[in-house]
Amino acid sequence: QKHRHMYEQGRGIFVYDGIMRRSVTRYKYYGCREYGDFYARAMYRYAQKELREWKPDLIVPVPVHRSKERQRGFNQAAYLAEKLGHYTGISTDVNIVQKVLKTKSQKKLNALQRRKNLEKAFCVTGDVRGKNILVIDDVYTTGSTIDAMAGCLKRKGAGNVYFLTVCIGRR
């Protein structure tokens, strides 16, 4: 790893290949929530070991800007977080972190541009002091989104920050 990350550890359940890219696209942009149901069950099933090790106090999804949520009809990470919280019994707060800046889509940016794009994009609105946080998102590629979330949470006093995503890019 060339870049030191702000989070402690994390895991993606599936490799972000062509099949999963199409699947996640259907989930995110075409409202196929049944995909989210499947993804959350897979996260629960295949991340048991990590969940036991990490002992998160709170599950927090990566927020999307209000305009993007209106456009899509839902926040895909919040949907996953709520489902995972239901399966695990871990408290979930889908509003404790807000996306306060409307940023460019990360898809076509390189790693440095992604980090710059997300500077000051997130704001913690509740008390996270001393809590171990599990951040939920759909896809992990460079880690810049999770880093921005972890940095924001830690500046507000969070303990350890971990992540769980549906997919993770190949190195």
Side-chain angles (χ1 to χ4, degrees):
Q1 290 183 336
K2 295 177 195 166
H3 176 69
R4 175 114 169 84
H5 292 287
M6 298 292 292
Y7 57 83
E8 275 58 47
Q9 284 184 313
R11 163 133 199 239
I13 302 301
F14 301 104
V15 172
Y16 194 50
D17 60 11
I19 291 168
M20 287 309 297
R21 182 175 289 113
R22 286 188 296 278
S23 177
V24 169
T25 297
R26 286 186 193 108
Y27 172 58
K28 271 171 92 159
Y29 303 109
Y30 298 98
C32 296
R33 293 185 195 206
E34 65 275 15
Y35 287 43
D37 298 336
F38 168 78
Y39 298 152
R41 278 193 309 276
M43 290 170 124
Y44 176 64
R45 182 173 184 184
Y46 296 113
Q48 287 286 311
K49 179 177 152 268
E50 289 82 0
L51 291 169
R52 277 192 306 274
E53 286 175 14
W54 299 338
K55 296 180 181 75
D57 301 304
L58 186 64
I59 297 174
V60 175
V62 171
V64 294
H65 193 268
R66 288 181 308 279
S67 62
K68 193 168 275 188
E69 190 166 345
R70 274 195 305 272
Q71 183 183 359
R72 290 183 188 165
F74 76 122
N75 172 350
Q76 73 282 354
Y79 189 84
L80 294 170
E82 288 177 328
K83 291 285 183 183
L84 186 62
H86 172 75
Y87 292 135
T88 63
I90 300 166
S91 295
T92 304
D93 192 330
V94 299
N95 297 309
I96 202 163
V97 178
Q98 300 289 314
K99 188 159 186 192
V100 293
L101 289 179
K102 189 174 179 182
T103 56
K104 294 178 193 167
S105 172
Q106 296 278 91
K107 277 189 264 187
K108 294 186 173 85
L109 304 177
N110 66 34
L112 179 62
Q113 291 168 324
R114 286 174 183 227
R115 278 195 301 278
K116 288 293 266 179
N117 189 41
L118 291 172
E119 282 178 2
K120 300 177 184 142
F122 301 115
C123 175
V124 177
T125 61
D127 186 13
V128 295
R129 285 175 294 181
K131 292 183 179 169
N132 290 332
I133 310 285
L134 178 62
V135 175
I136 301 296
D137 204 4
D138 52 0
V139 178
Y140 178 106
T141 48
T142 65
S144 55
T145 301
I146 304 297
D147 273 332
M149 285 283 293
C152 181
L153 287 160
K154 286 185 173 188
R155 282 190 295 279
K156 291 293 185 173
N160 294 320
V161 177
Y162 305 98
F163 76 84
L164 198 53
T165 59
V166 173
C167 295
I168 193 159
R170 296 176 201 240
R171 291 197 188 274

